[in-house]
Amino acid sequence: MKIIVIGGVAAGTSTAAKAQRELPKAEITIFEQDSDISYSGCGLPYYISDLIEKREDVIVYTPERFEARKGPRVEAQHTVKKIIPDKKQVIVKNVLQNTEKKITYDKLVIATGAKPIVPRLAGVDLDNIFTLRNVNSADRIKEFITANKPQKAVIIGGGYIGLEMAESLLEYELDITVVEMADQLLTNFDRDMAEIIEENLTSKGIKIITNDGASEFKGEQKVNTVVTQSGQEIETDFVLLAIGVEPNVKLAKDANIELGSTGAIKVNKQMETSISDIYAAGDCVENNHLITNNPVWIPLGSTANKQGRVAGNSLAEVEDSFDGILGTAITKICNLAVARTGLTAREAKKEGYQIVTSTIKAGNHAGYYPGYKKINIKLIVDEITGKILGAQIIGETGVDKRIDVLATAIYNEMKADELIDLDLAYAPPFSVPKDGIMIAGLIAN
Ligand code: FAD
């Protein structure tokens, strides 16, 4: 059997590796337009800040190591230009040699991911305006900083990537401004929680402008000023565009593969698209939200890896399914861990839920034990059924385990008042006998 996988990062390599394990005799080829495969996009801000010094440390497998360990062939710097489903062929361009060839497949996987949105603003093509998506794009930013020793940076967009990069650039002692069009940072958090982040970033000397987007970039050849919609002019040495990403679906769309209401590829639980023998996984597909059962597009590496496994099993006709997501995510913004799962209060109301919320500050562990910190916990609960709909947690420590407990509770459709019955681990260095999430669960009722 000949299997072709388009895209070689999280979803593509997971799919290919799983399929090869299940189908040792299959001829599997990954085509990746970039020079790198199998890297951690999530690690790139730390590579730029030099916390991770070596480029190779954010790369899990080089094409050579992947081929040697996992089996599938990897053709890096090969772009798939077209899918021809009727003939079960793809047209592939060898980027280095500038040649094209048609290749036949039995089964095809689209794992083309997502790409940064670049706004069509005046001056957006000036030098020193960057986006961040892959290792090469991180290299460009790191090399620019190292060679030019800039003093000022403007980050357009106050989402995960923009704020992770604000932290990263603080390491270079830059004068940083974050410009966010919405009325708060991190729009996938409730405003009361996002305000904690804003205060924290402001205390670190980062300037935050909300309610105002970039409208123009000025400069001769290099950008030197960002003009905002309200007319503010911010001098800068470089700009990072981090206004979001969009699913990379052109190939699929051109092949008449059905897209969903979110604009990403529609797949079933086996990761099959609307055309037989064509599968898709990762950031290019939309997902079922486990609470609302509505399609959502929440592109995350955690999801892409899991979907790759399901797609790999489906290729081999091993029973498996990917049922959906809760949008559980965590990020580190300076000294704070910032996490969410399920629905925010705003999202829940939009979905028509009648909700109660409880927002508390609780200890990460026993108050008398060194390292005591307060963490902020917000629980969103369905007033009618008592079920937990979502949670957001922000704090210096102990955030990760609590959000994962709550993600597990939501997955299992627990009610808020059942949290108190959980047999959670306790010892003074780790927690308190009645943990904050239990208290939040009781208050929400
Ligand atoms: P991608 O990583 O986008 O890979 C798709 C690949 O397909 C690309 O390499 C692309 O070049 C290739 N491709 C596209 N079209 C073609 C074509 N026609 N021919 C050949 N190749 C093609 N997620 C988390 O869960 N946690 C985090 O902390 C986190 N942090 C992040 C931080 C940053 C800075 C970034 C950029 C992302 C972060 N993510 C995080 C998101 C995570 O990196 C992505 O969800 C994940 O990489 C998705 O994997 P993917 O394989 O679906 O898509």
Side-chain angles (χ1 to χ4, degrees), residues 7 9-11 32-33 41-42 78 80 111-114 133 251 282-283 300-302:
V9 187
E32 168 54 60
Q33 63 191 7
C42 319
H78 280 66
V80 175
T112 47
R133 181 70 194 173
L251 270 182
D283 280 6
L300 286 169
S302 47

Side-chain angles (χ1 to χ4, degrees), residues 4-6 80-92 103 105 107-112 248-257 265 273 275-280:
I4 287 179
V5 178
I6 312 171
V80 175
K81 304 293 284 184
K82 195 171 180 188
I83 302 168
I84 312 167
D86 295 349
K87 296 186 176 164
K88 287 196 151 187
Q89 285 179 334
V90 290
I91 298 177
V92 183
I103 301 171
Y105 62 82
K107 294 188 181 185
L108 178 71
V109 183
I110 304 173
T112 47
N248 219 342
V249 293
K250 186 172 183 311
L251 270 182
K253 199 174 168 193
D254 290 350
N256 285 324
I257 291 168
I265 301 171
T273 69
I275 295 186
S276 66
D277 293 327
I278 303 185
Y279 301 73

Side-chain angles (χ1 to χ4, degrees), residues 53-222:
E53 287 174 27
K54 291 195 220 129
R55 188 183 199 279
E56 57 263 35
D57 287 347
V58 287
I59 296 176
V60 187
Y61 286 105
T62 60
E64 298 72 30
R65 277 184 29 232
F66 190 80
E67 286 183 341
R69 287 261 340 254
K70 305 273 179 180
R73 253 183 58 217
V74 179
E75 298 278 15
Q77 289 172 294
H78 280 66
T79 306
V80 175
K81 304 293 284 184
K82 195 171 180 188
I83 302 168
I84 312 167
D86 295 349
K87 296 186 176 164
K88 287 196 151 187
Q89 285 179 334
V90 290
I91 298 177
V92 183
K93 179 176 179 178
N94 180 325
V95 178
L96 294 178
Q97 294 171 3
N98 202 18
T99 53
E100 283 190 4
K101 60 182 171 184
K102 278 187 185 154
I103 301 171
T104 306
Y105 62 82
D106 296 308
K107 294 188 181 185
L108 178 71
V109 183
I110 304 173
T112 47
K115 58 183 179 195
I117 297 170
V118 177
R120 289 185 193 179
L121 297 176
V124 77
D125 294 327
L126 287 168
D127 286 353
N128 306 341
I129 298 182
F130 301 95
T131 56
L132 176 63
R133 181 70 194 173
N134 51 26
V135 194
N136 285 324
S137 64
D139 284 338
R140 284 193 283 277
I141 298 171
K142 196 165 178 170
E143 280 160 19
F144 169 80
I145 294 173
T146 314
N148 297 282
K149 310 263 178 297
Q151 309 282 306
K152 296 176 184 160
V154 175
I155 297 171
I156 314 291
Y160 289 133
I161 293 181
L163 300 188
E164 283 179 11
M165 279 304 298
E167 171 187 350
S168 169
L169 297 178
L170 269 184
E171 293 300 314
Y172 292 98
E173 295 177 1
L174 292 174
D175 176 347
I176 302 162
T177 306
V178 176
V179 179
E180 167 57 57
M181 185 132 71
D183 58 3
Q184 66 170 74
L185 297 176
L186 290 177
T187 50
N188 49 357
F189 281 72
D190 287 324
R191 186 204 289 263
D192 52 345
M193 299 302 274
E195 277 168 3
I196 299 168
I197 308 299
E198 186 166 336
E199 273 166 30
N200 188 53
L201 287 173
T202 306
S203 76
K204 308 270 181 241
I206 294 174
K207 297 184 198 81
I208 308 286
I209 299 175
T210 50
N211 268 317
D212 204 2
S215 70
E216 187 186 347
F217 302 102
K218 284 188 185 166
E220 284 297 308
Q221 195 189 337
K222 301 170 185 168

